Amino acid sequence: MDDDRPAPPPSPIAPGADVSRLSEHEIEAHIELLKQEIVRLEAALVAKRASRSAADAVFKL
């Protein structure tokens, strides 16, 4: 049965892309994917800032 197959991952949508042909489920999947990406990017930003702060502290000695 096709119902046992995992759903394919949503295709990436570029900002500003036409989403009028997507189903509600596809739009919800894209929203979730983008939320996860935001969390990932925020964590990377925190790490970068911490690294830079540590470097600044070393060079201020």
Side-chain angles (χ1 to χ4, degrees):
M1 280 192 141
D2 289 346
D3 294 340
D4 294 338
R5 294 181 187 176
S11 61
I13 292 185
D18 180 21
V19 295
S20 63
R21 295 182 183 252
L22 298 177
S23 69
E24 288 180 24
H25 175 72
E26 290 171 320
I27 292 172
E28 289 171 344
H30 284 291
I31 290 170
E32 184 57 35
L33 182 66
L34 291 171
K35 286 180 180 179
Q36 291 172 8
E37 183 65 3
I38 288 168
V39 169
R40 186 184 74 83
L41 290 170
E42 287 175 338
L45 184 58
V46 167
K48 291 273 186 182
R49 287 180 176 163
S51 177
R52 182 174 185 174
S53 179
D56 287 344
V58 167
F59 290 108
K60 286 185 180 179
L61 295 175

